[in-house]
Amino acid sequence: MNKQIVVLILIIVFCKKAYAQKDSNLSLGIEQESELSFQVYDSLLIKKEYVNLEEVKNDTPENLMKSILSANSQEWVDYNTLGGSAKSTKRKEDYFVKIKQMNIDKNYIKLIHKVSFFINNTPTEIIKFYFKQENAKEVSGCYVLQKVDNRWYKVSNTTTSNLSIIIMRLKTEILIELFSGKASNVLTKELYNTINSNGYIDLSKLDNAFFSWYSPTKKNDKLNLFIDSKTW
Amino acid sequence: MKNILILIILIISQQSMGQNKIVTKVKFINVFDLTNAYDYTKTENDTLLSSKSIDKLPEKLLQSGKKTSIELLTKVKIIYNNEEHIYIKYYEKVGDLSNLRIIDVLSRNGVFIKNETANVIFDPISRIMNALNANMMFEFYNKEDNASYPEINKLKPLVKSSNGILDFNKLADVAEKNKKVLSKYLTK
């Protein structure tokens, strides 16, 4: 009996400690302002173009996308990623074999739209795309890219994690209406008024509005109107 | 005539790019990649600075002469712009004199360096740590109000963004302005 009590106390102490450690992270940040531009791609396809890492410059966001699709080694994946090996996605050898054998005309990326702005004076782009794959369903995606020392990198950070999901899921025409302030119907106008703050689009408010369509109850009227049904 | 033709082509091409591009202004919270806040316990104060592992800890930079004693209060770790800063609030006691100090330690691959270069986060974090401990920072951050901290509950809406992120500069302003009324929570 005493042994059971000791075990129980140990479990409680361990759980409390684990909880406290997990709970010791705060979400804290600095408010910033930036000009933002929104562009729609006109059927721009990104195909595997490079064979060797030596050919790669990553001098534009779109060339970085080509490099990401061409990367056939972990060294190359690291080269494309801000922070290199410490921050890159770790791929297995069979992934690189598939890249090397990939049919260029049956596996490619179709760029949809992008936003460009500055975080801490660093040029930042969020690009929405569909990845067309041979013998598989087309999937949507979004990359966050930043330009550091004249080279573009794929990045992953807390500031853009929710925004990239929003930029991927919202329909292109809805983003056009929100960023131009020319809403075509009542619900879009209502959303624009919610996120507009003294002439600025408040991305924190957009984040809050977006997740309120999913929880605590699903707002199907808004989801049907705003969300691109082809995205995950 | 040829120049005019080129000019017309340039204008047309610029217009076509312009039509495809919408420019607006946005504001957003640039979230630190990690913010970790912690209040030292009494046991840590009794043992940490004299422990064998002190050389592997940022607190080692606080060790000074025989006449100086240190009371550790709060530690805040912030990763910003790919740099890891560790801020430690402590009392430095020399004889009967006790001074509240905040040190900015840069962590680079496990090496700790006292940072004395000016940066945009030192002033706000100093103002926050001068008025709050880690526990109070969490009371500002937590979604649910805690009935034991009515003054913080009143101030919370002033320092949080719509999506629940603590606005660093607003928290510094509010903490500094309400330092007196909030001081009762420092010992909780």
Side-chain angles (χ1 to χ4, degrees):
Chain A
M1 185 63 186
N2 281 346
K3 200 177 168 187
Q4 282 175 325
I5 290 170
V6 171
V7 170
L8 190 66
I9 289 169
L10 279 174
I11 289 171
I12 291 168
V13 169
F14 175 78
C15 289
K16 277 189 80 168
K17 199 175 173 193
Y19 178 74
Q21 281 170 347
K22 189 185 170 200
D23 203 28
S24 61
N25 287 344
L26 290 159
S27 206
L28 192 70
I30 299 177
E31 187 174 79
Q32 293 187 347
E33 293 169 357
S34 169
E35 187 175 87
L36 175 145
S37 69
F38 179 75
Q39 283 176 283
V40 181
Y41 286 103
D42 188 13
S43 303
L44 182 59
L45 302 182
I46 297 288
K47 295 188 176 183
K48 188 178 94 171
E49 193 172 298
Y50 309 116
V51 179
N52 298 307
L53 178 55
E54 288 69 34
E55 303 166 56
V56 176
K57 285 184 183 158
N58 292 349
D59 52 346
T60 67
E62 290 75 17
N63 282 343
L64 170 57
M65 296 288 282
K66 283 179 196 167
S67 174
I68 291 170
L69 194 58
S70 308
N72 60 25
S73 67
Q74 188 60 47
E75 184 195 3
W76 196 333
V77 174
D78 297 349
Y79 179 84
N80 289 336
T81 310
L82 189 63
S85 167
K87 293 284 178 105
S88 66
T89 308
K90 300 293 174 284
R91 300 286 190 188
K92 289 183 178 163
E93 196 48 43
D94 58 346
Y95 169 85
F96 298 123
V97 171
K98 275 183 194 169
I99 291 285
K100 284 172 191 165
Q101 294 171 349
M102 193 165 76
N103 182 322
I104 295 173
D105 295 316
K106 290 181 180 171
N107 299 275
Y108 56 88
I109 284 171
K110 185 183 178 195
L111 301 183
I112 305 300
H113 59 232
K114 72 173 177 181
V115 293
S116 314
F117 63 116
F118 292 87
I119 298 177
N120 235 8
N121 298 320
T122 303
T124 304
E125 297 207 344
I126 302 177
I127 300 184
K128 173 180 177 174
F129 61 86
Y130 292 118
F131 183 35
K132 302 247 185 194
Q133 298 172 90
E134 190 177 4
N135 304 324
K137 204 182 162 193
E138 177 180 278
V139 288
S140 62
C142 218
Y143 282 148
V144 182
L145 314 174
Q146 286 193 313
K147 188 181 185 184
V148 178
D149 295 333
N150 284 322
R151 178 142 76 86
W152 285 89
Y153 295 88
K154 183 170 175 280
V155 302
S156 154
N157 59 44
T158 323
T159 303
T160 53
S161 57
N162 283 351
L163 184 60
S164 61
I165 293 170
I166 294 169
I167 295 299
M168 182 189 71
R169 285 200 192 157
L170 287 184
K171 290 176 185 168
T172 302
E173 57 268 32
I174 296 298
L175 287 168
I176 290 174
E177 292 187 16
L178 291 178
F179 290 135
S180 65
K182 293 171 187 164
S184 64
N185 67 63
V186 179
L187 285 178
T188 318
K189 181 82 183 162
E190 186 189 286
L191 175 60
Y192 176 75
N193 289 338
T194 302
I195 65 172
N196 185 21
S197 173
N198 301 320
Y200 284 83
I201 299 290
D202 187 331
L203 298 178
S204 301
K205 288 183 178 173
L206 177 60
D207 182 318
N208 196 37
F210 176 83
F211 287 101
S212 75
W213 306 332
Y214 294 91
S215 173
T217 54
K218 269 198 168 186
K219 314 272 188 316
N220 285 326
D221 54 343
K222 290 179 177 170
L223 293 173
N224 291 337
L225 181 66
F226 298 145
I227 302 299
D228 174 357
S229 59
K230 287 198 289 178
T231 56
W232 52 265
Chain B
M1 189 61 190
K2 197 178 167 188
N3 286 346
I4 291 169
L5 200 65
I6 291 168
L7 193 65
I8 290 168
I9 291 168
L10 267 174
I11 290 169
I12 290 170
S13 86
Q14 279 197 341
Q15 274 181 343
S16 126
M17 279 178 72
Q19 281 165 358
N20 199 23
K21 189 173 176 178
I22 298 162
V23 179
T24 186
K25 288 185 291 183
V26 290
K27 58 180 178 181
F28 58 93
I29 300 280
N30 184 9
V31 186
F32 301 143
D33 280 331
L34 178 85
T35 310
N36 186 283
Y38 180 76
D39 289 323
Y40 292 96
T41 62
K42 188 179 178 306
T43 316
E44 281 171 333
N45 256 303
D46 292 341
T47 59
L48 193 70
L49 294 177
S50 55
S51 73
K52 284 179 183 172
S53 56
I54 189 65
D55 281 343
K56 293 173 187 166
L57 300 172
E59 287 82 357
K60 73 173 179 180
L61 296 175
L62 303 179
Q63 288 184 310
S64 46
K66 286 177 187 171
K67 290 177 184 173
T68 310
S69 70
I70 303 284
E71 184 189 348
L72 299 166
L73 299 171
T74 302
K75 176 155 76 173
V76 176
K77 187 199 280 185
I78 291 176
I79 298 180
Y80 178 68
N81 257 0
N82 297 316
E83 281 200 326
E84 184 178 322
H85 291 265
I86 299 162
Y87 300 95
I88 300 170
K89 178 170 75 167
Y90 62 101
Y91 275 121
E92 187 181 68
K93 294 173 184 173
V94 184
D96 294 336
L97 275 177
S98 184
N99 291 309
L100 187 69
R101 301 202 184 282
I102 294 167
I103 185 175
D104 176 0
V105 180
L106 258 178
S107 171
R108 285 187 180 140
N109 304 318
V111 177
F112 299 108
I113 309 150
K114 186 178 176 185
N115 183 42
E116 288 172 313
T117 315
N119 62 71
V120 291
I121 46 176
F122 187 70
D123 173 63
I125 196 67
S126 298
R127 290 192 287 139
I128 291 168
M129 292 180 81
N130 265 315
L132 311 177
N133 59 21
N135 180 46
M136 291 161 74
M137 289 174 75
F138 279 104
E139 291 302 336
F140 271 101
Y141 174 63
N142 290 341
K143 203 174 176 182
E144 304 298 330
D145 284 353
N146 182 340
S148 305
Y149 297 85
E151 302 295 341
I152 291 181
N153 296 339
K154 264 189 259 172
L155 297 168
K156 270 164 96 164
L158 304 176
V159 301
K160 289 175 92 170
S161 69
S162 321
N163 52 349
I165 295 161
L166 275 178
D167 184 314
F168 194 52
N169 288 316
K170 285 180 184 167
L171 181 63
D173 291 344
V174 165
E176 188 174 49
K177 202 174 162 188
N178 297 279
K179 188 177 173 181
K180 206 171 172 184
V181 73
L182 293 171
S183 63
K184 62 187 171 199
Y185 300 134
L186 282 170
T187 48
K188 268 199 161 193

